[in-house]
Amino acid sequence: VQLQASGGGLVQAGGSLRLSCAASGRTFGNYAMGWFRQAPGKGREFVATISWSGSSILYTDSVKGRFAISRDNAAHTVYLQMNNLKPEDTAVYYCAANPGPAVTITAARFWGHGTLVTVSS
């Protein structure tokens, strides 16, 4: 599976962005998908994950109520809708795929290249 993330950019605090991650391969529907981020000078951290069916979704506490992960298996794409963005959300955002029920830092078989999100105050 090859992953290509897009949709990053510069936005003011309080604004919104929608990230997309397009996957190649016919087995996209068999994979859980996830979003991670890495802020300058920090390690990569988990943001959200969605199961292959979309029935199971998890978020890190800092984005609950502001971010929403979704997927379109027919389009082989996973999305991250980010609302009410804060300067601390500034990071490179990565998507990842895993054949298990979820994607974690230690359980991510495929990674995409990142897309930069910058939130100005």
Coordinates of all heavy atoms in Angstrom, one line a residue, residues 13-115:
A13 N -5.3 30.6 13.7 CA -6.0 29.9 14.8 C -7.5 30.1 14.7 O -8.0 31.2 14.4 CB -5.5 30.5 16.1
G14 N -8.2 29.0 15.0 CA -9.6 29.0 14.9 C -10.1 28.5 13.5 O -11.3 28.3 13.4
G15 N -9.2 28.4 12.6 CA -9.6 28.0 11.2 C -9.7 26.5 11.1 O -9.5 25.7 12.0
S16 N -9.9 26.1 9.8 CA -10.1 24.7 9.5 C -9.3 24.2 8.3 O -9.0 25.0 7.5 CB -11.6 24.4 9.3 OG -12.4 24.7 10.3
L17 N -9.0 23.0 8.3 CA -8.3 22.3 7.2 C -8.8 20.9 7.1 O -9.2 20.3 8.1 CB -6.8 22.3 7.3 CG -6.0 23.6 7.1 CD1 -4.5 23.3 7.4 CD2 -6.1 24.0 5.6
R18 N -8.8 20.4 5.9 CA -9.1 18.9 5.7 C -8.0 18.3 5.0 O -7.6 18.6 3.9 CB -10.4 18.7 4.9 CG -10.8 17.2 5.0 CD -12.1 17.0 4.3 NE -12.0 16.9 2.8 CZ -12.9 16.2 2.0 NH1 -13.9 15.6 2.6 NH2 -12.7 16.2 0.7
L19 N -7.4 17.3 5.7 CA -6.3 16.5 5.1 C -6.9 15.3 4.4 O -7.9 14.7 4.9 CB -5.3 16.1 6.2 CG -4.7 17.2 7.1 CD1 -3.7 16.5 8.0 CD2 -4.1 18.2 6.2
S20 N -6.3 14.9 3.4 CA -6.6 13.7 2.7 C -5.4 12.8 2.5 O -4.3 13.2 2.5 CB -7.1 14.0 1.2 OG -8.3 14.9 1.3
C21 N -5.7 11.5 2.5 CA -4.7 10.5 2.3 C -5.2 9.5 1.3 O -6.1 8.7 1.6 CB -4.3 9.8 3.6 SG -3.0 8.5 3.5
A22 N -4.6 9.5 0.1 CA -5.0 8.6 -0.9 C -4.1 7.4 -0.9 O -2.9 7.5 -0.8 CB -4.9 9.3 -2.3
A23 N -4.7 6.2 -1.0 CA -4.0 4.9 -0.9 C -4.1 4.2 -2.3 O -5.1 4.2 -2.9 CB -4.6 4.1 0.2
S24 N -3.0 3.6 -2.6 CA -3.0 2.7 -3.8 C -3.2 1.3 -3.4 O -3.2 1.0 -2.2 CB -1.7 2.8 -4.5 OG -0.6 2.3 -3.7
G25 N -3.6 0.5 -4.3 CA -3.8 -0.9 -4.0 C -5.2 -1.3 -3.8 O -6.0 -0.5 -3.3
R26 N -5.6 -2.5 -4.1 CA -7.0 -2.9 -4.0 C -7.4 -3.4 -2.7 O -8.6 -3.7 -2.5 CB -7.2 -4.0 -5.1 CG -7.1 -3.6 -6.5 CD -7.2 -4.7 -7.5 NE -6.1 -5.7 -7.3 CZ -6.1 -6.8 -8.0 NH1 -7.0 -7.2 -8.9 NH2 -5.0 -7.6 -7.9
T27 N -6.5 -3.5 -1.7 CA -6.9 -4.0 -0.4 C -7.1 -2.9 0.6 O -7.0 -3.2 1.8 CB -5.8 -5.0 0.1 OG1 -4.5 -4.3 0.2 CG2 -5.7 -6.2 -0.8
F28 N -7.3 -1.7 0.2 CA -7.4 -0.5 1.1 C -8.5 -0.8 2.2 O -8.3 -0.5 3.3 CB -7.8 0.7 0.3 CG -8.1 1.9 1.2 CD1 -7.1 2.6 1.8 CD2 -9.4 2.3 1.4 CE1 -7.3 3.7 2.6 CE2 -9.7 3.4 2.2 CZ -8.7 4.1 2.8
G29 N -9.6 -1.4 1.8 CA -10.7 -1.7 2.7 C -10.3 -2.7 3.8 O -11.1 -2.8 4.8
N30 N -9.2 -3.4 3.7 CA -8.8 -4.3 4.7 C -7.9 -3.7 5.8 O -7.5 -4.4 6.7 CB -8.0 -5.5 4.0 CG -8.9 -6.3 3.1 OD1 -10.1 -6.3 3.2 ND2 -8.3 -7.0 2.2
Y31 N -7.6 -2.5 5.6 CA -6.6 -1.8 6.5 C -7.3 -0.8 7.4 O -8.1 0.0 7.0 CB -5.5 -1.1 5.7 CG -4.5 -2.1 5.1 CD1 -4.8 -2.6 3.8 CD2 -3.4 -2.4 5.7 CE1 -3.9 -3.5 3.2 CE2 -2.4 -3.3 5.1 CZ -2.7 -3.8 3.9 OH -1.9 -4.7 3.3
A32 N -6.9 -0.8 8.7 CA -7.2 0.4 9.5 C -6.3 1.5 9.1 O -5.2 1.3 8.6 CB -6.9 0.0 11.0
M33 N -6.7 2.7 9.3 CA -6.0 3.9 8.8 C -5.8 4.8 10.0 O -6.6 4.8 11.0 CB -6.7 4.6 7.7 CG -6.9 3.8 6.5 SD -5.4 3.3 5.7 CE -4.7 4.9 5.2
G34 N -4.7 5.6 10.0 CA -4.5 6.5 11.1 C -3.8 7.8 10.7 O -3.2 7.8 9.6
W35 N -3.9 8.8 11.5 CA -3.2 10.0 11.3 C -2.3 10.2 12.5 O -2.7 10.0 13.7 CB -4.1 11.2 11.2 CG -4.8 11.3 9.9 CD1 -6.1 10.8 9.6 CD2 -4.3 11.8 8.7 NE1 -6.4 11.0 8.3 CE2 -5.3 11.6 7.7 CE3 -3.1 12.4 8.3 CZ2 -5.2 12.1 6.4 CZ3 -3.0 12.9 7.0 CH2 -4.0 12.7 6.0
F36 N -1.1 10.7 12.3 CA -0.1 11.0 13.3 C 0.5 12.4 12.9 O 0.3 12.9 11.8 CB 1.0 10.0 13.3 CG 0.5 8.6 13.6 CD1 -0.1 7.8 12.6 CD2 0.7 8.0 14.9 CE1 -0.6 6.5 12.9 CE2 0.2 6.8 15.1 CZ -0.4 6.0 14.2
R37 N 1.2 13.0 13.9 CA 1.8 14.3 13.6 C 3.1 14.4 14.4 O 3.3 13.7 15.4 CB 0.9 15.4 14.0 CG 0.6 15.5 15.5 CD -0.5 16.6 15.7 NE -0.8 16.7 17.1 CZ -1.8 17.5 17.6 NH1 -2.6 18.2 16.7 NH2 -2.1 17.6 18.9
Q38 N 4.0 15.2 13.8 CA 5.3 15.5 14.5 C 5.5 17.0 14.4 O 5.7 17.5 13.4 CB 6.4 14.7 13.8 CG 7.7 14.8 14.5 CD 8.7 13.7 14.0 OE1 8.5 13.1 13.0 NE2 9.8 13.5 14.7
A39 N 5.5 17.6 15.6 CA 5.8 19.0 15.8 C 7.3 19.2 15.7 O 8.1 18.3 16.1 CB 5.2 19.5 17.0
P40 N 7.8 20.4 15.4 CA 9.2 20.7 15.4 C 9.9 20.4 16.7 O 9.4 20.8 17.8 CB 9.2 22.2 15.1 CG 8.0 22.5 14.4 CD 6.9 21.6 15.0
G41 N 10.9 19.6 16.7 CA 11.7 19.3 17.9 C 11.0 18.2 18.8 O 11.5 18.0 19.9
K42 N 9.9 17.6 18.3 CA 9.2 16.6 19.1 C 9.1 15.3 18.4 O 9.3 15.2 17.2 CB 7.8 17.1 19.5 CG 7.9 18.4 20.4 CD 6.5 18.7 20.9 CE 6.5 19.9 21.8 NZ 5.1 20.3 22.3
G43 N 8.7 14.3 19.1 CA 8.5 13.0 18.5 C 7.2 12.9 17.8 O 6.3 13.7 18.0
R44 N 7.0 11.8 17.0 CA 5.8 11.6 16.3 C 4.7 11.1 17.3 O 5.0 10.3 18.2 CB 6.0 10.6 15.2 CG 4.8 10.5 14.2 CD 5.2 9.6 13.0 NE 6.3 10.2 12.3 CZ 6.7 9.8 11.1 NH1 6.1 8.7 10.5 NH2 7.7 10.3 10.5
E45 N 3.5 11.7 17.2 CA 2.5 11.3 18.1 C 1.2 10.9 17.4 O 0.9 11.3 16.3 CB 2.1 12.4 19.1 CG 1.5 13.6 18.5 CD 1.0 14.6 19.5 OE1 1.1 14.4 20.7 OE2 0.5 15.7 19.1
F46 N 0.4 10.0 18.0 CA -0.8 9.5 17.5 C -1.9 10.7 17.5 O -1.9 11.4 18.5 CB -1.3 8.4 18.3 CG -2.7 8.0 18.1 CD1 -3.1 7.2 17.0 CD2 -3.7 8.4 19.0 CE1 -4.4 6.9 16.8 CE2 -5.0 8.0 18.9 CZ -5.4 7.3 17.8
V47 N -2.7 10.8 16.5 CA -3.8 11.7 16.4 C -5.1 11.0 16.4 O -6.0 11.3 17.2 CB -3.6 12.6 15.2 CG1 -4.9 13.6 15.1 CG2 -2.4 13.4 15.3
A48 N -5.3 10.1 15.4 CA -6.6 9.4 15.3 C -6.4 8.2 14.5 O -5.5 8.1 13.7 CB -7.6 10.4 14.6
T49 N -7.3 7.2 14.7 CA -7.3 6.0 13.9 C -8.8 5.6 13.6 O -9.7 5.9 14.4 CB -6.6 4.9 14.6 OG1 -6.5 3.7 13.7 CG2 -7.2 4.5 15.9
I50 N -9.0 4.9 12.5 CA -10.3 4.4 12.1 C -10.2 3.0 11.6 O -9.2 2.7 10.8 CB -10.9 5.4 11.0 CG1 -12.3 5.0 10.7 CG2 -10.1 5.5 9.8 CD1 -13.1 6.0 9.9
S51 N -11.1 2.1 12.0 CA -11.0 0.7 11.6 C -11.4 0.6 10.1 O -11.9 1.6 9.5 CB -12.0 -0.1 12.4 OG -13.3 0.4 12.2
W52 N -11.2 -0.6 9.5 CA -11.5 -0.7 8.1 C -12.9 -0.5 7.7 O -13.2 0.0 6.7 CB -11.1 -2.2 7.7 CG -12.0 -3.2 8.2 CD1 -11.9 -3.9 9.4 CD2 -13.2 -3.7 7.7 NE1 -12.9 -4.8 9.6 CE2 -13.8 -4.7 8.5 CE3 -13.9 -3.4 6.5 CZ2 -15.0 -5.4 8.3 CZ3 -15.1 -4.1 6.2 CH2 -15.6 -5.0 7.1
S53 N -13.9 -0.7 8.7 CA -15.3 -0.5 8.4 C -15.7 0.9 8.8 O -16.8 1.3 8.4 CB -16.1 -1.5 9.2 OG -16.0 -1.3 10.6
G54 N -14.9 1.6 9.5 CA -15.3 2.9 10.0 C -16.1 2.9 11.3 O -16.5 3.9 11.8
S55 N -16.3 1.7 11.8 CA -17.2 1.6 13.0 C -16.4 1.9 14.3 O -17.1 2.1 15.3 CB -17.8 0.2 13.1 OG -16.7 -0.8 13.2
S56 N -15.1 1.8 14.3 CA -14.3 2.1 15.4 C -13.4 3.2 15.2 O -12.6 3.2 14.2 CB -13.5 0.8 15.8 OG -12.7 1.1 17.0
I57 N -13.5 4.3 16.0 CA -12.6 5.5 15.8 C -12.1 5.9 17.2 O -12.8 5.8 18.2 CB -13.5 6.6 15.3 CG1 -13.9 6.3 13.8 CG2 -12.7 8.0 15.4 CD1 -14.8 7.4 13.2
L58 N -10.8 6.3 17.2 CA -10.2 6.7 18.4 C -9.4 8.0 18.1 O -8.9 8.2 17.0 CB -9.2 5.7 19.0 CG -9.8 4.3 19.4 CD1 -8.6 3.4 19.7 CD2 -10.6 4.5 20.6
Y59 N -9.4 8.9 19.1 CA -8.7 10.2 19.0 C -7.8 10.3 20.2 O -8.1 9.9 21.3 CB -9.6 11.4 19.0 CG -10.6 11.4 17.8 CD1 -11.9 10.9 17.9 CD2 -10.1 11.9 16.6 CE1 -12.7 10.9 16.8 CE2 -11.0 11.9 15.5 CZ -12.3 11.4 15.6 OH -13.2 11.4 14.5
T60 N -6.7 11.1 20.0 CA -5.9 11.5 21.2 C -6.7 12.6 21.9 O -7.5 13.3 21.2 CB -4.6 12.0 20.8 OG1 -3.7 12.2 21.9 CG2 -4.6 13.3 20.0
D61 N -6.6 12.8 23.2 CA -7.4 13.7 23.9 C -7.4 15.1 23.4 O -8.4 15.8 23.5 CB -7.0 13.6 25.4 CG -7.5 12.4 26.1 OD1 -8.3 11.6 25.5 OD2 -7.0 12.1 27.2
S62 N -6.2 15.6 23.0 CA -6.0 17.0 22.6 C -6.8 17.4 21.4 O -7.0 18.6 21.2 CB -4.6 17.3 22.5 OG -4.0 16.5 21.4
V63 N -7.3 16.4 20.6 CA -8.1 16.8 19.4 C -9.5 16.4 19.5 O -10.3 16.7 18.5 CB -7.4 16.2 18.1 CG1 -5.9 16.5 18.1 CG2 -7.6 14.7 18.1
K64 N -9.9 15.8 20.5 CA -11.3 15.3 20.6 C -12.3 16.5 20.6 O -12.0 17.6 21.2 CB -11.5 14.6 22.0 CG -11.0 13.2 21.9 CD -11.2 12.5 23.3 CE -10.7 11.0 23.3 NZ -10.8 10.4 24.6
G65 N -13.3 16.4 19.8 CA -14.3 17.5 19.6 C -13.9 18.5 18.6 O -14.7 19.4 18.2
R66 N -12.6 18.4 18.1 CA -12.2 19.4 17.1 C -11.8 18.7 15.8 O -12.0 19.3 14.7 CB -10.9 20.1 17.6 CG -11.1 20.9 18.8 CD -9.9 21.8 19.1 NE -8.7 21.0 19.4 CZ -7.6 21.2 18.7 NH1 -7.5 22.1 17.7 NH2 -6.5 20.4 19.0
F67 N -11.3 17.5 15.8 CA -10.9 16.7 14.6 C -11.8 15.6 14.4 O -12.4 15.0 15.3 CB -9.5 16.2 14.8 CG -8.4 17.2 14.8 CD1 -8.6 18.5 14.9 CD2 -7.0 16.7 14.7 CE1 -7.6 19.5 14.9 CE2 -6.0 17.6 14.7 CZ -6.3 19.0 14.8
A68 N -12.0 15.2 13.1 CA -12.8 14.1 12.8 C -12.2 13.3 11.7 O -11.8 13.8 10.6 CB -14.2 14.5 12.3
I69 N -12.0 12.0 11.9 CA -11.4 11.1 10.9 C -12.5 10.4 10.2 O -13.5 10.0 10.9 CB -10.4 10.1 11.6 CG1 -9.6 9.3 10.5 CG2 -11.1 9.2 12.6 CD1 -8.5 8.5 11.1
S70 N -12.4 10.2 8.9 CA -13.4 9.4 8.2 C -12.7 8.8 7.0 O -11.5 9.1 6.7 CB -14.5 10.3 7.7 OG -14.0 11.3 6.8
R71 N -13.4 7.8 6.3 CA -12.8 7.2 5.2 C -13.8 6.9 4.2 O -15.0 6.7 4.5 CB -12.1 5.9 5.7 CG -13.0 4.8 6.2 CD -12.2 3.6 6.8 NE -11.4 2.9 5.8 CZ -10.4 2.2 6.1 NH1 -10.0 2.0 7.3 NH2 -9.7 1.6 5.1
D72 N -13.4 6.8 2.9 CA -14.2 6.4 1.8 C -13.5 5.2 1.1 O -12.5 5.4 0.4 CB -14.4 7.6 0.8 CG -15.3 7.3 -0.4 OD1 -15.5 6.1 -0.7 OD2 -15.7 8.2 -1.0
N73 N -13.9 4.0 1.4 CA -13.2 2.9 0.9 C -13.3 2.8 -0.6 O -12.4 2.3 -1.3 CB -13.8 1.6 1.5 CG -13.3 1.5 3.0 OD1 -12.4 2.1 3.4 ND2 -14.0 0.6 3.8
A74 N -14.4 3.2 -1.2 CA -14.5 3.2 -2.7 C -13.5 4.1 -3.3 O -13.0 3.8 -4.4 CB -15.9 3.6 -3.1
A75 N -13.2 5.2 -2.6 CA -12.2 6.2 -3.2 C -10.8 5.9 -2.7 O -9.9 6.7 -3.0 CB -12.7 7.6 -2.8
H76 N -10.6 4.9 -1.8 CA -9.3 4.6 -1.3 C -8.7 5.8 -0.6 O -7.5 6.1 -0.7 CB -8.4 4.1 -2.3 CG -8.7 2.7 -2.8 ND1 -7.8 1.9 -3.5 CD2 -9.9 2.0 -2.8 CE1 -8.4 0.8 -3.9 NE2 -9.7 0.8 -3.4
T77 N -9.5 6.5 0.2 CA -9.1 7.7 0.8 C -9.5 7.8 2.3 O -10.7 7.5 2.6 CB -9.6 9.0 0.0 OG1 -9.1 8.9 -1.3 CG2 -9.0 10.3 0.6
V78 N -8.6 8.3 3.1 CA -9.0 8.7 4.5 C -8.8 10.2 4.7 O -7.9 10.8 4.1 CB -8.1 7.8 5.5 CG1 -6.7 8.2 5.4 CG2 -8.6 8.0 6.9
Y79 N -9.7 10.7 5.5 CA -9.7 12.2 5.7 C -9.5 12.5 7.2 O -9.8 11.7 8.1 CB -11.0 12.8 5.2 CG -11.4 12.4 3.8 CD1 -12.2 11.4 3.5 CD2 -10.9 13.2 2.8 CE1 -12.6 11.1 2.2 CE2 -11.2 12.9 1.5 CZ -12.1 11.8 1.2 OH -12.4 11.5 -0.1
L80 N -9.0 13.7 7.4 CA -8.9 14.3 8.7 C -9.4 15.7 8.7 O -8.7 16.6 8.2 CB -7.5 14.2 9.3 CG -7.4 14.7 10.8 CD1 -8.1 13.6 11.7 CD2 -5.9 14.8 11.2
Q81 N -10.6 15.9 9.1 CA -11.2 17.2 9.2 C -10.8 17.9 10.5 O -11.0 17.3 11.6 CB -12.7 17.2 9.2 CG -13.4 18.5 9.3 CD -13.2 19.4 8.1 OE1 -13.2 19.0 6.9 NE2 -12.9 20.7 8.4
M82 N -10.1 19.0 10.4 CA -9.5 19.7 11.6 C -10.2 21.0 11.7 O -10.0 21.9 10.8 CB -8.0 19.8 11.4 CG -7.3 18.5 11.1 SD -5.5 18.7 11.1 CE -5.3 19.7 9.7
N83 N -10.9 21.2 12.8 CA -11.6 22.5 13.1 C -11.0 23.1 14.3 O -10.4 22.5 15.1 CB -13.1 22.2 13.3 CG -13.8 21.6 12.0 OD1 -13.4 21.9 10.9 ND2 -14.7 20.7 12.3
N84 N -11.3 24.4 14.5 CA -10.8 25.2 15.6 C -9.3 24.9 15.9 O -8.9 24.6 17.0 CB -11.7 24.8 16.9 CG -11.4 25.7 18.0 OD1 -10.9 26.8 17.9 ND2 -11.7 25.2 19.2
L85 N -8.6 25.1 14.8 CA -7.2 24.8 14.9 C -6.4 25.7 15.9 O -6.8 26.9 16.0 CB -6.5 24.8 13.6 CG -6.8 23.6 12.7 CD1 -6.5 23.9 11.2 CD2 -5.9 22.4 13.1
K86 N -5.4 25.2 16.6 CA -4.7 25.9 17.6 C -3.2 25.9 17.1 O -2.8 25.0 16.4 CB -4.8 25.3 18.9 CG -6.2 25.2 19.4 CD -6.3 24.4 20.7 CE -7.7 24.3 21.2 NZ -7.8 23.6 22.6
P87 N -2.4 26.9 17.6 CA -1.0 26.9 17.2 C -0.3 25.7 17.6 O 0.6 25.2 16.9 CB -0.5 28.2 18.0 CG -1.7 29.1 18.1 CD -2.8 28.2 18.3
E88 N -0.7 25.0 18.7 CA -0.1 23.8 19.1 C -0.4 22.6 18.2 O 0.2 21.5 18.4 CB -0.4 23.4 20.5 CG -1.9 23.4 20.8 CD -2.4 24.7 21.5 OE1 -2.0 25.8 21.0 OE2 -3.2 24.7 22.4
D89 N -1.3 22.8 17.2 CA -1.6 21.8 16.2 C -0.5 21.8 15.1 O -0.6 20.9 14.2 CB -3.0 21.9 15.6 CG -4.1 21.7 16.7 OD1 -3.9 20.7 17.5 OD2 -5.0 22.4 16.7
T90 N 0.3 22.8 15.1 CA 1.3 22.9 14.0 C 2.2 21.7 14.0 O 2.8 21.4 15.1 CB 2.1 24.2 14.2 OG1 1.3 25.3 14.0 CG2 3.3 24.3 13.3
A91 N 2.3 21.1 12.9 CA 3.1 19.8 12.8 C 3.1 19.3 11.4 O 2.3 19.8 10.6 CB 2.6 18.7 13.7
V92 N 4.0 18.4 11.1 CA 3.8 17.6 9.9 C 2.9 16.4 10.2 O 3.1 15.7 11.2 CB 5.2 17.1 9.4 CG1 5.0 16.2 8.2 CG2 6.1 18.2 9.1
Y93 N 1.9 16.3 9.4 CA 0.9 15.2 9.6 C 1.1 14.1 8.6 O 1.3 14.3 7.4 CB -0.5 15.8 9.4 CG -1.0 16.6 10.6 CD1 -0.4 17.9 10.8 CD2 -1.9 16.1 11.5 CE1 -0.8 18.6 11.9 CE2 -2.4 16.9 12.5 CZ -1.8 18.1 12.8 OH -2.2 18.9 13.9
Y94 N 1.1 12.9 9.2 CA 1.4 11.6 8.4 C 0.1 10.7 8.5 O -0.5 10.6 9.5 CB 2.5 10.9 9.0 CG 3.9 11.6 9.0 CD1 4.2 12.5 10.0 CD2 4.7 11.5 7.9 CE1 5.4 13.1 10.0 CE2 5.9 12.2 7.9 CZ 6.3 13.0 8.9 OH 7.5 13.7 8.9
C95 N -0.1 10.0 7.4 CA -1.1 9.0 7.5 C -0.4 7.6 7.4 O 0.7 7.5 7.0 CB -2.1 9.1 6.3 SG -1.5 9.0 4.7
A96 N -1.1 6.6 8.0 CA -0.5 5.3 8.1 C -1.6 4.3 7.9 O -2.8 4.5 8.2 CB 0.3 5.1 9.4
A97 N -1.2 3.1 7.6 CA -2.1 2.0 7.4 C -1.6 0.7 8.1 O -0.4 0.5 8.2 CB -2.3 1.7 5.9
N98 N -2.5 -0.1 8.6 CA -2.1 -1.3 9.3 C -3.2 -2.3 9.1 O -4.4 -2.0 9.2 CB -2.0 -1.0 10.8 CG -1.3 -2.2 11.5 OD1 -0.2 -2.5 11.2 ND2 -2.0 -2.8 12.5
P99 N -2.9 -3.6 8.9 CA -3.9 -4.6 8.7 C -4.7 -5.0 9.9 O -5.7 -5.7 9.8 CB -3.1 -5.8 8.1 CG -1.7 -5.6 8.6 CD -1.5 -4.1 8.7
G100 N -4.3 -4.5 11.1 CA -5.1 -4.8 12.3 C -6.3 -3.9 12.5 O -6.7 -3.2 11.6
P101 N -6.9 -4.0 13.7 CA -8.1 -3.2 13.9 C -7.8 -1.7 14.1 O -8.8 -0.9 14.1 CB -8.6 -3.8 15.2 CG -7.4 -4.3 15.9 CD -6.5 -4.8 14.8
A102 N -6.6 -1.3 14.3 CA -6.3 0.1 14.5 C -4.8 0.3 14.1 O -4.1 -0.6 13.9 CB -6.5 0.5 16.0
V103 N -4.5 1.6 14.1 CA -3.1 2.0 13.8 C -2.5 2.7 15.0 O -3.1 3.6 15.6 CB -3.0 2.9 12.6 CG1 -1.5 3.1 12.2 CG2 -3.8 2.3 11.4
T104 N -1.4 2.2 15.4 CA -0.7 2.9 16.5 C 0.8 3.2 16.1 O 1.2 2.8 15.0 CB -0.6 2.0 17.8 OG1 0.2 0.9 17.5 CG2 -2.0 1.6 18.2
I105 N 1.5 3.9 16.9 CA 2.9 4.2 16.6 C 3.7 3.0 16.3 O 4.5 2.9 15.4 CB 3.5 5.0 17.7 CG1 3.0 6.5 17.7 CG2 5.1 5.0 17.6 CD1 3.6 7.3 16.6
T106 N 3.4 1.9 17.1 CA 4.2 0.7 17.0 C 3.5 -0.3 16.1 O 4.1 -1.4 15.8 CB 4.4 0.1 18.4 OG1 3.1 -0.1 19.0 CG2 5.3 1.0 19.3
A107 N 2.3 0.0 15.6 CA 1.6 -1.0 14.7 C 1.1 -0.2 13.5 O -0.1 0.2 13.5 CB 0.5 -1.6 15.5
A108 N 2.0 0.1 12.7 CA 1.7 0.8 11.4 C 2.6 0.3 10.3 O 3.8 0.6 10.3 CB 2.0 2.3 11.6
R109 N 2.0 -0.5 9.5 CA 2.8 -1.2 8.5 C 3.3 -0.3 7.3 O 4.4 -0.4 6.8 CB 2.1 -2.4 7.9 CG 2.9 -3.2 6.9 CD 2.2 -4.5 6.5 NE 2.1 -5.4 7.6 CZ 1.5 -6.6 7.5 NH1 1.0 -7.0 6.3 NH2 1.4 -7.4 8.5
F110 N 2.4 0.7 7.0 CA 2.8 1.6 5.9 C 2.6 3.0 6.3 O 1.7 3.3 7.0 CB 1.8 1.3 4.7 CG 1.9 -0.1 4.2 CD1 0.9 -1.0 4.5 CD2 2.9 -0.5 3.3 CE1 0.9 -2.3 4.1 CE2 2.9 -1.8 2.9 CZ 1.9 -2.7 3.2
W111 N 3.5 3.8 5.9 CA 3.5 5.3 6.2 C 3.5 6.0 4.9 O 4.2 5.7 3.9 CB 4.7 5.7 7.0 CG 4.7 5.2 8.4 CD1 5.3 4.0 8.9 CD2 4.1 5.8 9.5 NE1 5.1 3.9 10.2 CE2 4.4 5.0 10.7 CE3 3.4 7.0 9.7 CZ2 3.9 5.3 11.9 CZ3 3.0 7.3 11.0 CH2 3.3 6.5 12.1
G112 N 2.8 7.2 4.9 CA 2.9 8.1 3.8 C 3.8 9.2 4.1 O 4.3 9.4 5.2
H113 N 4.1 10.0 3.1 CA 4.9 11.2 3.3 C 4.0 12.2 4.0 O 2.8 12.2 3.9 CB 5.4 11.8 2.0 CG 6.4 10.9 1.3 ND1 7.6 10.6 1.8 CD2 6.3 10.1 0.2 CE1 8.3 9.7 1.0 NE2 7.5 9.4 0.0
G114 N 4.6 13.1 4.8 CA 3.8 14.0 5.6 C 3.4 15.3 4.8 O 3.8 15.6 3.7
T115 N 2.4 16.0 5.4 CA 1.9 17.2 4.9 C 2.0 18.2 6.0 O 1.5 17.9 7.1 CB 0.5 17.1 4.3 OG1 0.1 18.3 3.7 CG2 -0.5 16.7 5.3

